[in-house]
Amino acid sequence: MTTPSPLLSRPGAVEAAGADAGVAAHYGEPLREQRALAAGTAVVDLSSRGVVTVAGPDRLSWLNTLSSQQLTALQPGESSELLLLSVQGRIEFDARIIDDGATAWLIVEGAEAAPLAVYLDRMKFMLRVEIADVSADWAVVGSTAAVPEWSGLLAWQDPWPHVGAGGYSYATVAEENHPGLERPWYEYLVPAAELEQSVGDRPLAGTMAAEALRVAAWRPRIGAETDDKTIPHELDLLRTAVHLAKGCYKGQETIARVHNLGHPPRRLVFLQLDGSQHTLPAAGSAVLVGDRKVGTVTSVAQHYEMGPVALAVIKRSVAPDEILTVLDGDEPYTAGQELIVAPDAGQVVGRQTGFLRGPRA
């Protein structure tokens, strides 16, 4: 959405900053909103997200050749995730995809929609595909539960943390014990002109609530957990966004080489922050072992049950039992780490499943 959301006119709304600018960070009671969102009784305005459509009979086979994901068998109403990588295997775009039988809908960060549409348009050659950035016409609304009243809308269901067909888990916990299971996630596509009417008097949560649940679920977000060197292995994205047995695509050599060696240079980690302080460190704060910088905090949140938590990307060599320090300017925060990506890939076991079917009209 190119203009601020009309839901910012709701009582108590405080606009978010950064990637979520244009929608509400909260409506006056962040922790209460977070509880309601976790319980499935509230929804969150994500209309700052971008939406790109790919129509035409060649859309899925074409996206299959460009991306990390196997898409040729994607059925109407099924949800998946794809990555577009550089030649070096670094993440350039991370898109949620759902197909309606005639059009593939790609939900991305707001700042990524226009560049993604330009990139795809350059790559279409003589194929029967039509690309459009429709971000101004469509809003995205998030929920942890299917909304029966919206059964006529397209809804992307996050496959996280299930290991998709051809995927692989780099996590240190079995899928059945993954904290992401506590956060089922749906993103509904709502006509922008109908956003206020569609939401009606349903309770609203802000993006602070959605981010806290995402951090607790160990779910990486492009632009937060990524930088210009990020490869999917570091964030455990092979579980949902990469098919290891599909045909060639840009960046595949890096995917295969790092996977076979089992040693991504960095790893995503969950941090429990010292709750005795009244402030939270900022994203971008340094993560230290002693006086040595070993990584960077990427996302920070106040969770309604766990208190202050964060995600960070740190060097693979950091010992799993190391007590870390987060340094925000001159302010230190003690942080206990909980492993997400294993330091040694020999500790993880892959598992394959199928695509997720989400709610659909």
Side-chain angles (χ1 to χ4, degrees), residues 157 238 323:
Q157 183 180 355
L238 270 69
I323 299 297

Side-chain angles (χ1 to χ4, degrees), residues 55 63 69 75 98-99 114-115 146 170 180 190 192 221 240 253 259-260 295 301 313 320 331 341 343 345 360:
L63 288 171
Q69 189 58 271
Q75 297 299 306
I98 184 167
D99 193 84
Y170 273 65
V190 180
R221 179 180 180 182
T240 55
E253 289 186 5
H259 180 65
N260 290 332
V313 175
E331 188 72 28
V341 173
R360 174 79 205 287

Side-chain angles (χ1 to χ4, degrees), residues 3-28:
T3 58
S5 170
L7 299 181
L8 279 173
S9 65
R10 295 294 179 94
V14 175
E15 185 176 355
D20 294 321
V23 299
H26 63 85
Y27 297 88

Side-chain angles (χ1 to χ4, degrees), residues 180-227:
L181 294 174
E182 299 177 15
R183 174 196 168 266
W185 190 250
Y186 302 85
E187 294 188 358
Y188 285 88
L189 286 162
V190 180
E194 302 173 14
L195 177 60
E196 283 191 279
Q197 179 184 350
S198 296
V199 170
D201 58 1
R202 186 176 298 277
L204 286 170
T207 57
M208 287 176 64
E211 282 294 278
L213 299 185
R214 178 184 69 82
V215 169
W218 302 353
R219 193 18 159 154
R221 179 180 180 182
I222 192 168
E225 277 62 61
T226 60
D227 58 24

Side-chain angles (χ1 to χ4, degrees), residues 146-295:
V147 180
E149 297 89 336
W150 294 348
S151 60
L153 300 174
L154 274 177
W156 178 80
Q157 183 180 355
D158 192 352
W160 188 269
H162 302 287
V163 181
Y168 195 92
S169 170
Y170 273 65
T172 57
V173 299
E175 184 178 315
E176 58 268 22
N177 296 322
H178 197 290
L181 294 174
E182 299 177 15
R183 174 196 168 266
W185 190 250
Y186 302 85
E187 294 188 358
Y188 285 88
L189 286 162
V190 180
E194 302 173 14
L195 177 60
E196 283 191 279
Q197 179 184 350
S198 296
V199 170
D201 58 1
R202 186 176 298 277
L204 286 170
T207 57
M208 287 176 64
E211 282 294 278
L213 299 185
R214 178 184 69 82
V215 169
W218 302 353
R219 193 18 159 154
R221 179 180 180 182
I222 192 168
E225 277 62 61
T226 60
D227 58 24
D228 59 0
K229 296 181 180 179
T230 303
I231 59 176
H233 318 65
E234 297 173 334
L235 307 182
D236 199 24
L237 277 174
L238 270 69
R239 71 188 308 124
T240 55
V242 176
H243 193 294
L244 289 169
K246 70 180 292 285
C248 293
Y249 58 92
K250 189 168 68 170
Q252 183 188 29
E253 289 186 5
T254 298
I255 295 292
R257 181 174 66 254
V258 176
H259 180 65
N260 290 332
L261 291 174
H263 294 148
R266 301 179 298 182
R267 59 183 178 87
L268 186 66
V269 65
F270 179 75
L271 300 180
Q272 291 273 4
L273 300 171
D274 178 7
S276 63
Q277 291 152 287
H278 299 294
T279 58
L280 294 175
S285 298
V287 179
L288 309 178
V289 172
D291 296 326
R292 178 172 61 98
K293 182 179 178 181
V294 296

